[in-house]
Amino acid sequence: MLQQGVATSACLAMVRFLFAALSEANISGSSQADGRRSNGLTYKDAGVDIDAGNALVEAIKPLAKSTGRSGADSALGGFGGLFDLKATGFKDPVLVAGNDGVGTKLLVAIEAGKHDTVGIDLVAMCVNDLVVQGAEPLFFLDYFATGKLSVEAATDIIAGIAAGCREAGCALIGGETAEMPGLYGENEYDLAGFSVGAVERDGILPRDIGANDVVIGLPSTGFHSNGYSLVRKVVSVAGLRYNDPAPFEPTQSLAESLLTPTRIYIKPCLALVHANLAHGFAHITGGGLLENIPRVLPKDLAVELDAKALPLPSMMTWLGETGGMSAEEMARTFNCGIGMVVIVAADNEQEALDVLTINGESPRRLGTVVPRNEGETVKIEGLSEAWGLP
């Protein structure tokens, strides 16, 4: 991270503390004033531990260094992160930027006391959006806000961020740690990520999507980082605790299963881009299949998907049945087993499948692009029957 100190907003904690102390003490007289000067308040009295912040900086320096790549040396301590775009070899680059968070999946991590995977989620949610435009992720920054800084937990989180950056091929060049007592509870925290990538001007996606193009799906590892408010609601209704065995995977605790990190699709998707096979991608996040695929389609096109090619993962089947959800509600909320959608020309279908397989994917054909008349942009016949949901 950069100068991983305490955010300016945390100074307000000291101000509030001072006002409270003065109003409660009702101090008067010179001897009391002298005592007040000799036993003055510190930032730590207000709940902000500068020493802990400095310890965190030292702990994460090797993590950031491990993400170095062409254009960045990942050195920490400056006021801004530097990146040399020329060193990456792009000829006519367009920058692509994105930011995201992990959402209420963090509440599961906090309750379970397991913080080593949510950093991967944070990176994945940002860089997967960049590659949808055909962009190679270049660098990443994070914002970590908490009520009381735990160096151990924060190091676990940032270790996850570094792992995600290494997998995505981007450098962790900066960030901010904000200790804000009063705004967050002692064990509470939130995360935000920011990533920038680049794509050659003539390679920006989506492009050339047309009728008869083939729609391919890349599997997810679970809920990824979306829909956890509903997930947590169902867990509560079912009377489960996060340390209980997962009802859909008894070899894991519920927390371990739900905290499986979001997949990072950079390597296989860039392989398609470099082979000039991709017409478009859709990152399946909040809004599910029904709302994310239309974001990359021309207005006169739709997709028809085969429900039999979309088997619902066991954790989602359990969630839908336990929560009494309809198939449509599932499809517009969760990824339903598909984390990234790929659109390619029909003539290139087999080549695209081969490229994806070589790059570690298990792709499957989901359907085709069709002309849109009236009605839905994403048509999935027989979904209720295939999923066993109303």
Side-chain angles (χ1 to χ4, degrees), residues 22 53 61 68 70 75 104 106 115 130 132 164 191 201 212 217 238 264 306 317 322 336 345 350 375-377:
L22 288 172
K61 280 182 178 179
S70 59
T104 59
L106 293 178
H115 312 288
L130 300 186
V132 165
L191 298 173
R201 191 177 304 274
N212 300 317
I264 293 174
D306 180 1
T317 298
T322 305
C336 297
Q350 189 57 55
E376 301 170 334
T377 311

Side-chain angles (χ1 to χ4, degrees), residues 21 39 47 51 161 185 191 238 253 266 292 343 369:
N39 297 287
D51 292 334
I161 293 173
L191 298 173
S253 72
I266 301 305
N292 283 291
I343 300 175
V369 178

Side-chain angles (χ1 to χ4, degrees), residues 83-99:
F83 190 89
D84 182 2
L85 183 58
K86 187 176 181 180
T88 62
F90 281 91
K91 297 176 180 179
D92 184 22
V94 173
L95 296 180
V96 183
N99 71 291

